[in-house]
Amino acid sequence: MTVLSDLLSALAGGSVEVVDLTAPLSEATPVIQLPPPFANTRHFALEEISRYDDRGPAWYWNDISTGEHVGTHFDAPVHWVTGREGVDVSQVPARRLVAPAVVIDKSEECADDPDFLLTVEHVEAWQAEHGSLPDGGWLLYRTGWASRAGDAGRFLNANETGPHTPGLAPDCARWLAQTAPILGIGVETVGTDAGAAHSFDPPFPCHAFMLGAGKYGLTQLANLERLPVTGAVLIASPLPIVRGSGSPARVLALVVR
Ligand code: 23J
Ligand code: MN
């Protein structure tokens, strides 16, 4: 098919670039810390099976253990009680995993205010400049938080009053979930909701409204500054974990240079 051979030529010639939006996955990957009495997820870990030794002379391999919601990952509708009748991560149609993506950049605002919240007005102003949000595509929310991902303390940014990381205002989450044509929202932070969102009304509104509407989430994305405001194609690849609420994912973007 000519469109695919054209794509391969563009990749080979460098006029289409593959941008990796995935954070490296290791023991050091920051993990969300919910306040008591809530249970928390485990960190990613490798356990060596053999490494060219008595246990396997010619091969190296590991077992892994991880939470579903660790590092760059995909939130499926069943992750939230509002989406409990929705699909698990194995049931997300492959067709939905290749989709357009646009970027709203609030990194300057978030540098001044770690509790910055995206509002309906911000998204409407973006649309006045750049056009409608993509039908069946991702809204990627650039906050600059990925630059902190190498330091779990700065990334989670918690003090005695709890975590302070940017997110969406409850009204904006409801509006995006119920009226926007988007497939989901992608963020740089440890969750699609703000650090303080446990105290919002409703609690964790981005999870509640988006997943309740059958939409998806992508968390802890990297390299969003390398994407154009509009025009990227995003490929998200969560593992098809049967009954899974989400999965670590490799997330790639195709970008015209
Ligand atoms: C469980 C409870 C609250 C949150 C989360 C998970 C996540 O951010 C997640 O990774 O889905 S805010
Ligand atoms: Mn998640």
Side-chain angles (χ1 to χ4, degrees):
M1 204 164 90
T2 179
V3 63
L4 289 181
S5 47
D6 288 352
L7 173 61
L8 291 170
S9 303
L11 287 164
S15 61
V16 172
E17 188 190 356
V18 181
V19 177
D20 197 342
L21 304 185
T22 319
L25 189 56
S26 78
E27 284 79 355
T29 297
V31 166
I32 195 167
Q33 276 289 130
L34 299 177
F38 305 124
N40 276 295
T41 186
R42 65 175 62 180
H43 286 244
F44 180 86
L46 284 181
E47 189 191 343
E48 194 173 283
I49 306 169
S50 71
R51 192 163 194 160
Y52 331 121
D53 55 23
D54 318 349
R55 301 170 298 169
W59 51 92
Y60 168 52
W61 57 342
N62 301 293
D63 287 323
I64 59 172
S65 57
T66 184
E68 296 170 324
H69 298 260
V70 172
T72 303
H73 73 269
F74 189 100
D75 288 350
V78 287
H79 177 43
W80 220 253
V81 63
T82 49
R84 67 193 303 163
E85 305 302 329
V87 297
D88 70 41
V89 70
S90 75
Q91 295 168 324
V92 174
R95 172 68 189 84
R96 300 269 81 82
L97 299 177
V98 181
V102 301
V103 182
I104 187 164
D105 181 7
K106 296 294 171 193
S107 51
E108 284 182 19
E109 291 82 349
C110 295
D112 293 338
D113 176 11
D115 295 306
F116 180 84
L117 299 178
L118 189 71
T119 65
V120 173
E121 291 68 35
H122 294 137
V123 182
E124 284 180 332
W126 184 97
Q127 292 195 102
E129 194 174 348
H130 302 291
S132 299
L133 293 175
D135 196 1
W138 295 95
L139 175 59
L140 304 180
Y141 177 25
R142 189 177 157 206
T143 57
W145 231 251
S147 69
R148 300 170 175 242
D151 178 338
R154 288 189 69 233
F155 190 70
L156 301 175
N157 203 38
N159 62 17
E160 55 292 343
T161 62
H164 296 276
T165 59
L168 277 67
D171 278 350
C172 183
R174 183 194 301 109
W175 179 78
L176 286 171
Q178 297 177 358
T179 73
I182 57 171
L183 181 70
I185 180 143
V187 302
E188 294 181 53
T189 42
V190 76
T192 55
D193 268 296
H198 58 92
S199 66
F200 291 3
D201 182 20
F204 306 109
C206 190
H207 284 81
F209 290 123
M210 293 292 288
L211 302 178
K215 294 181 176 181
Y216 310 135
L218 283 173
T219 302
Q220 207 186 322
L221 297 170
N223 296 322
L224 293 187
E225 70 284 355
R226 292 174 56 193
L227 300 186
V229 176
T230 63
V233 172
L234 187 142
I235 303 165
S237 58
L239 298 176
I241 300 169
V242 175
R243 296 188 304 282
S245 72
S247 167
R250 194 72 181 256
V251 183
L252 306 174
L254 300 180
V255 174
V256 173
R257 280 289 157 241

